[in-house]
Amino acid sequence: MTTTLTRPSAPKEGRSSARSAAGRAARRAARRHRPGYFFIAPALALFALFFIYPLVSSFIQSFQSISGGETSWVGLAQYQRLFDDPLVAQSLFNVFLILVIQVPLMVCIAIALAYILNQSWVRFRTGFRAIYFLPAVTTLVAYSLVFRVMLATDGGAANQMLGMFGMDPIDWLNSEGWARVALIASITWRWTGYNMIIILAGLQAIPAEQYEAARIDGAGRWAVFSRIVVPQLRPVILFSSITSTIGALQLFDENFILTGGGPNNATLTPVLYLYKVGFQQFDFGYASAIAWLVVAIIAVISVIQFRIMREKS
Amino acid sequence: MQTLRRSPLYVLLALGAAVSLVPFLWMVIASTHTTAEIFSTPMPLLPGGELWTNLARLQAETGFARVMLNSVLVATLYTVFSCIVSAMCGYGLAKYRFRGRGLMLGGVLLTMMIPGQVLLVPLFQMMASVGWINSFQALILPFLANAFGIFLMRQAFLDFPDSLIESARIDGASEIRTFYRIVLPVARPQLAALVIYTFISQWNSFIWPLLMLNSEEKYTLPVALNTMVGLSRVDYSGLMLGSLLATLPLLIVFLLFQKQFISGLMGGAVKG
């Protein structure tokens, strides 16, 4: 659409005066739009240098073995290695657990909270909203550290609270199951309010007449929620789910600080594994292959989520 | 009566609020006690008197003032330049029809979909080869072109009436002047949101600075906090104070600019 506007229409052999006038006008228009290049130039240069070039470089390196200054082409063997690597499988399993437990849990809580805090009769609405959103304001490293200290086995705040109810202390960060629980709990703490605010904005876009119409038709509260609110919220829920999914697949800060990926790699994620392979073992080729595996998984999951949401609507 | 019937709901809401707040309160309490006090039974529930000694120790051990200054410096420079690049590019894409515009727009969308981790290895190699390891420009430059920011600004400029731009041109204003004086001021709310979003993302940035920085005097907050964990005897109360100081600026910005803050973090999620 835009190119037809800018491309100066080439004068055909007929060359009527009207046509060349149109051509002149188009050329003038094209000249007028030329400053556009000036405005995008900085971004374009930065993208080319720091995005396109590294992207291509990473793709090429994922087929290479780079160690000790020696670079050799290993082709698909690098990707074969991914399939044979138990740690890749482990990190994908860990992230899969988070995807099927944490993301739905968090999105559901966020929907419920947003729905409640959108009711005009709820007192202190704005106060509750601000408080629930507050965790989204913390630095990832800082809140991970706070959780790490709170979850300390001896004398940590979490275990002391359990002690008040007469329960035995839990070895949060050093047992595989509890470490995963701890990780899921911290991510949920950090992101639920954030998703609640996004969903709340979506709720406020629903016209009030729709609720009234439904009520006049005798719809109960649950019917209004499931038949009117949820369908209208679909794009927003999709946005929340996709960004949370992508976020989970890229998880690094939290588990790096909380557990370092342990115990027994129970909280190892693909990005943490990439970091270890690339920057502790300096196997850049293999790290690149892991990176592209993450890209592929994110692409596939995004497409699937889009499909599911579209089919339902 | 109504309120009474609904009281279970308020109990639930209050419980949720407590869950949200407790880590903050605990961070404040912990940062005013000694490490031994933090882990003693029963744990302290009120602030103690160790804030200043913790602060002095934190400064002595990690040069925390310097770390804070580094974070402010890097985040500010990054925010200024990144927002200029985003606003310019967004304007170019919104208001000019040049060849390759569609391609550029598609490229911007693509960069939003590709996770940044793919770039870690090649960017690291790039920075190493030009000798920029342990430099602030290595933290700032590679991520200046921010796809999300460009997109946000483009959306903001799309609605701006062409006729106003046209009349500025007829009055003889240069393209840059038109942009800077006429168009940009109208997009102030979106720009404010972008400024906040950009600042926070740089303030929180961890994995890249972790890879780039290797000397204490260049550390940013998250990296400095992380190295404190690596010490043989972890100074937990100092760590909690550091976490508090790292969070405080964001808390203040949040309380002052709640609206822009939230729209900055959400960025076009709903408007799409």
Side-chain angles (χ1 to χ4, degrees), chain B residues 54-262:
Chain B
N54 284 341
L55 190 63
R57 203 177 59 252
L58 188 65
Q59 172 61 22
E61 279 170 11
T62 64
F64 207 75
R66 169 87 214 181
V67 166
M68 201 82 177
L69 187 71
N70 288 345
S71 262
V72 171
L73 188 72
V74 170
T76 307
L77 285 174
Y78 174 76
T79 303
V80 169
F81 289 113
S82 176
C83 288
I84 292 175
V85 171
S86 293
M88 280 178 69
C89 187
Y91 179 62
L93 290 175
K95 287 298 166 192
Y96 293 94
R97 300 174 179 281
F98 49 86
R99 208 176 291 201
R101 189 182 72 145
L103 195 69
M104 181 77 186
L105 210 56
V108 170
L109 279 173
L110 184 75
T111 61
M112 285 208 280
M113 276 182 273
I114 289 187
Q117 287 84 24
V118 185
L119 307 176
L120 286 178
V121 164
L123 280 179
F124 179 86
Q125 293 164 328
M126 248 173 121
M127 296 302 137
S129 67
V130 294
W132 279 6
I133 301 270
N134 205 30
S135 75
F136 286 159
Q137 63 265 34
L139 300 190
I140 295 169
L141 216 52
F143 306 103
L144 274 187
N146 163 4
F148 160 74
I150 292 172
F151 212 69
L152 186 76
M153 294 318 289
R154 176 181 170 268
Q155 296 302 106
F157 294 135
L158 270 181
D159 296 335
F160 193 86
D162 287 333
S163 54
L164 270 178
I165 300 175
E166 204 55 54
S167 62
R169 271 190 200 125
I170 290 165
D171 288 347
S174 69
E175 300 290 324
I176 300 169
R177 199 182 156 84
T178 308
F179 168 62
Y180 179 68
R181 298 301 290 266
I182 313 276
V183 184
L184 201 54
V186 177
R188 201 175 287 154
Q190 289 93 335
L191 196 61
L194 181 63
V195 163
I196 290 174
Y197 165 83
T198 317
F199 190 87
I200 294 165
S201 69
Q202 183 62 48
W203 187 264
N204 284 340
S205 170
F206 177 52
I207 187 168
W208 182 245
L210 181 70
L211 290 176
M212 280 296 110
L213 304 176
N214 53 31
S215 78
E216 257 176 47
E217 78 251 28
K218 289 282 172 68
Y219 280 169
T220 56
L221 275 165
V223 182
L225 289 174
N226 173 57
T227 43
M228 285 173 71
V229 183
L231 303 173
S232 53
R233 242 189 83 252
V234 185
D235 172 10
Y236 284 106
S237 57
L239 206 51
M240 289 302 96
L241 180 58
S243 301
L244 177 65
L245 290 174
T247 309
L248 217 50
L250 299 185
L251 273 179
I252 293 169
V253 174
F254 172 63
L255 293 175
L256 288 178
F257 305 101
Q258 264 195 59
K259 215 176 139 202
Q260 285 91 338
F261 191 100
I262 289 174

Side-chain angles (χ1 to χ4, degrees), chain A residues 98 104 119 124 144 152-153 171 179 224 255 266-267 298 300:
Chain A
I98 294 172
Q119 306 298 320
F124 318 114
S144 305
T153 307
D171 201 5
V224 170
N255 52 338
T267 56
I298 287 181
V300 168

